[in-house]
Amino acid sequence: MHVPDGFFDAPVSLAAGAVAAGAVAVSLRGARRELDDRLTPLAGLVAAFVFAVQMINFPVGAGTSGHLMGGALAAILVGPYTAVLCLSVVLLIQALLFADGGLTALGVNITLLGVVAVLVAYPLFRLLTKTLPRRRSSVGVAAFVAALVSVPAAAVAFTGLFAIGGTADVPLGRVLGAMVGVHTAIGLGEAAITAMTVGAVLAVRPDLVHGARDLRRPLVLRTASGDAGAKAAPADTAATHAPTSPTTPAPPTGAAPGRRSVRPVWIAGLAASLLCAGGLSFYASQELDGLERVSTDHGIMEREREHDLADSPLADYELRDVDNGLLSGGTAGVLGVGVTLAVGTGVLLLVRRRNRTGPPATAVGGTSSGADAG
């Protein structure tokens, strides 16, 4: 749902830009509570992964395709504030380097794919995880439902903006029905990708899923007499301690168990991103995506203006002057992943560094007090 230039008049474009700027400003502050030294590089990787998977359009029927929006996925993995920043970075790079999404419509796109999707998906996800039984399968169900609902919600928001400042004279009822219908179908694909990705991370490192942090079981240290000691770090971040013997001193209260490295997860995520962008994107559906289909069928596409950066060397996710489609698209995708990873990680590292105004407080288990905040 990358809105091009020309669909909205100047007042709506400016207003959406103000909303997007305000959301980014709020998220810059909120992300400081969500990020720690361990999760910040992974948040940059989430932005790169969203960029990569968005290159893969999947068919939804009737000559229409769709792709991941990513708001729900990013919010569940790294938190809602950080997710808005991740999506903003992705959309900015897509507009500037790949001429995907209009420059004057950048605020609209951030508002729809970032702000609206996250505001709908994350509260719904949290509500479902608190309502459903407390087990890992419930997290997958909650992720599926939240992602599914977020896509047509963004379509409704598009129609609302179009009612205020759309440049084409089209019956709004028809636009709303078409947008919600096709994006509900796309939402099923979004839901499947989100649930599978969250499930994969949850299976190997549940401590890295921000939205499931309340489901971690604390590690309880026990003495030889069987008395429970103070709660230590979450069980999924430390090995279980054996009971102490009478000749072995009990570990000190709040002792810090070893923390597992995030490097294997980071490497696996980067490999998946490069595979999606550099290879699988070549086999993506060539059908019009949901917004293109609706705007073409209802005469809105006639209002589209040519992108100001249409002559970019990477426009349309192809490397100019390279005839081989796989090489051209794959190279463009790999470059996009690299730039998104670098920019996203850089921005989030700066956000994290701004939070270091003094010595970090030590939480039980030896981790920073902000490690699981947010």
Side-chain angles (χ1 to χ4, degrees):
M1 193 191 295
H2 288 67
V3 179
D5 293 318
F7 278 20
F8 294 96
D9 60 20
V12 166
S13 297
L14 290 173
V19 171
V24 169
V26 171
S27 297
L28 285 171
R29 295 179 62 86
R32 297 175 195 171
R33 300 192 300 271
E34 295 173 343
L35 295 170
D36 62 12
D37 291 336
R38 181 182 50 156
L39 297 182
T40 299
L42 292 180
L45 181 62
V46 167
F49 182 76
V50 169
F51 172 90
V53 180
Q54 281 191 0
M55 292 184 63
I56 305 176
N57 278 42
F58 48 84
V60 296
T64 307
S65 68
H67 63 72
L68 179 80
M69 284 176 34
L73 174 61
I76 294 168
L77 289 179
V78 296
Y81 295 110
T82 307
V84 172
L85 299 180
C86 289
L87 267 294
S88 298
V89 168
V90 170
L91 292 166
L92 180 64
I93 289 173
Q94 289 172 333
L96 293 179
L97 294 186
F98 300 93
D100 186 14
L103 295 178
T104 62
L106 181 60
V108 173
N109 285 320
I110 292 175
T111 299
L112 296 178
L113 277 73
V115 180
V116 172
V118 170
L119 285 178
V120 170
Y122 193 72
L124 178 56
F125 171 81
R126 295 292 292 164
L127 175 63
L128 291 173
T129 54
K130 291 179 180 298
T131 304
L132 296 172
R134 292 175 60 84
R135 50 176 178 257
R136 289 185 182 179
S137 59
S138 297
V139 177
V141 172
F144 185 96
V145 175
L148 171 61
V149 173
S150 70
V151 179
V156 171
F158 170 90
T159 307
L161 292 177
F162 196 81
I164 300 171
T167 56
D169 185 14
V170 182
L172 291 177
R174 292 169 56 188
V175 175
L176 177 62
M179 285 292 290
V180 172
V182 70
H183 285 91
T184 298
I186 293 172
L188 291 171
E190 175 105 9
I193 295 171
T194 301
M196 287 189 294
T197 304
V198 171
V201 179
L202 199 65
V204 295
R205 291 295 300 272
D207 57 306
L208 300 182
V209 179
H210 175 91
R213 64 194 186 283
D214 291 346
L215 301 181
R216 305 177 206 163
R217 294 181 177 178
L219 177 65
V220 178
L221 302 179
R222 295 183 179 275
T223 63
S225 61
D227 297 330
K231 292 182 179 179
D236 47 44
T237 62
T240 302
H241 290 271
T244 55
S245 67
T247 59
T248 303
T253 301
R259 287 170 57 178
R260 298 165 58 189
S261 171
V262 300
R263 183 175 299 177
V265 177
W266 192 92
I267 293 174
L270 178 60
S273 301
L274 293 173
L275 176 63
C276 290
L280 297 181
S281 61
F282 180 75
Y283 304 99
S285 172
Q286 300 301 309
E287 302 289 351
L288 297 177
D289 71 18
L291 179 58
E292 291 172 335
R293 170 58 62 195
V294 173
S295 58
T296 298
D297 291 347
H298 294 85
I300 304 174
M301 188 63 77
E302 299 172 1
R303 310 299 299 178
E304 179 184 8
R305 296 200 313 268
E306 184 179 16
H307 200 286
D308 293 332
L309 301 177
D311 294 330
S312 166
L314 296 173
D316 297 324
Y317 302 93
E318 295 179 350
L319 195 62
R320 183 183 296 177
D321 300 328
V322 175
D323 295 330
N324 184 290
L326 179 59
L327 179 61
S328 175
T331 303
V334 168
L335 289 174
V337 167
V339 173
T340 305
L341 178 62
V343 174
T345 302
V347 168
L348 296 170
L349 282 173
L350 287 175
V351 171
R352 175 61 183 161
R353 188 169 299 170
R354 287 285 302 274
N355 197 34
R356 294 175 174 173
T357 56
T362 301
V364 176
T367 60
S368 170
S369 61
D372 295 322

